[in-house]
Amino acid sequence: NLTRAPGASVAIVIGGASEALDARPGWATLTLARRKGFVKMALRTGASLVPVFAFGENDIFEQVENPEGGRLRNFQMYIKQLIGITPPAFYGRSLSRGMWRRIFGRKGVLPKREPIEVVVGNPIAVPKVVDPSNEIIDKYHALYTESLKELYELHRRQFHRLNRGGSSDDLLSDLLTRQGKLQNMQFK
């Protein structure tokens, strides 16, 4: 409820099901460019917009390749239109070291053991506007998008943690490998 007293918060997953289909380890592809309803809602209620990004969130599962226009993606989009959610074809680590691993290998349904670090940006104060125009919605959407990009750029070099074991040469090699995999944020 956005009309509660100050201090209450609401989290909205802006990218939703569509963004889940583009989740890949080491990538940050956000479905945000055309999503402006959350800004309109914030303007109507006067609630602040707070940029938040979870680094490592896409690293805990792998996803079967599903390029746009491909058969799997088309099926996923059909299901999304039918029931409102998309069935991602993902896999993580195996359930156990016993029989299941011998049957399915290292792939399984459990998330991989990767850190997830959530960073929170500064709130963007939003005026209360009963009937916001497209211009004011676009203005605050652009402010939010730019704040999110700045938050990502400020913290993206820090989100891959070094392995805990091994020699210092292994640690440096791991850091360089992980930093080489970092990608710029993309918007759809």
Side-chain angles (χ1 to χ4, degrees):
N1 184 350
L2 292 178
T3 59
R4 294 176 120 179
S9 64
V10 173
I12 300 173
V13 180
I14 300 164
S18 296
E19 191 173 286
L21 295 179
D22 292 318
R24 299 275 183 281
W27 289 86
T29 303
L30 304 183
T31 304
L32 180 63
R34 295 188 319 252
R35 306 280 172 108
K36 297 181 182 179
F38 72 101
V39 176
K40 188 174 185 177
M41 186 184 303
L43 284 162
R44 284 184 175 166
T45 61
S48 296
L49 294 170
V50 183
V52 177
F53 193 85
F55 288 103
E57 181 179 44
N58 290 347
D59 297 339
I60 60 173
F61 288 104
E62 297 284 341
Q63 192 167 172
V64 175
E65 286 297 319
N66 61 341
E68 289 191 35
R71 294 171 82 182
L72 177 58
R73 177 67 69 105
N74 289 340
F75 171 75
Q76 290 169 320
M77 295 308 291
Y78 172 75
I79 297 297
K80 179 183 175 236
Q81 289 173 352
L82 195 63
I83 61 175
I85 60 171
T86 54
F90 67 90
Y91 57 92
R93 62 185 173 91
S94 68
L95 192 56
S96 70
R97 296 188 183 271
M99 181 180 72
W100 290 108
R101 183 173 265 183
R102 284 189 284 262
I103 295 171
F104 296 108
R106 293 183 176 266
K107 297 176 183 177
V109 295
L110 294 178
K112 293 187 280 181
R113 292 183 174 122
E114 294 288 339
I116 297 176
E117 296 175 6
V118 178
V119 292
V120 180
N122 294 323
I124 301 167
V126 175
K128 189 171 184 175
V129 180
V130 177
D131 189 22
S133 66
N134 287 338
E135 291 80 24
I136 196 165
I137 292 170
D138 290 343
K139 174 187 172 185
Y140 282 96
H141 184 268
L143 280 172
Y144 177 83
T145 303
E146 191 57 38
S147 295
L148 187 61
K149 284 180 186 178
E150 289 172 8
L151 185 69
Y152 178 82
E153 290 300 324
L154 180 64
H155 295 282
R156 78 183 185 118
R157 296 266 176 228
Q158 300 168 4
F159 88 87
H160 280 302
R161 293 186 179 158
L162 294 172
N163 287 333
R164 301 284 182 221
S167 68
S168 60
D169 291 340
D170 293 339
L171 294 176
L172 180 60
S173 172
D174 180 60
L175 174 64
L176 293 174
T177 300
R178 288 171 182 261
Q179 284 186 342
K181 291 180 181 178
L182 294 177
Q183 303 296 323
N184 289 326
M185 181 183 287
Q186 300 174 357
F187 291 96
K188 290 180 109 182

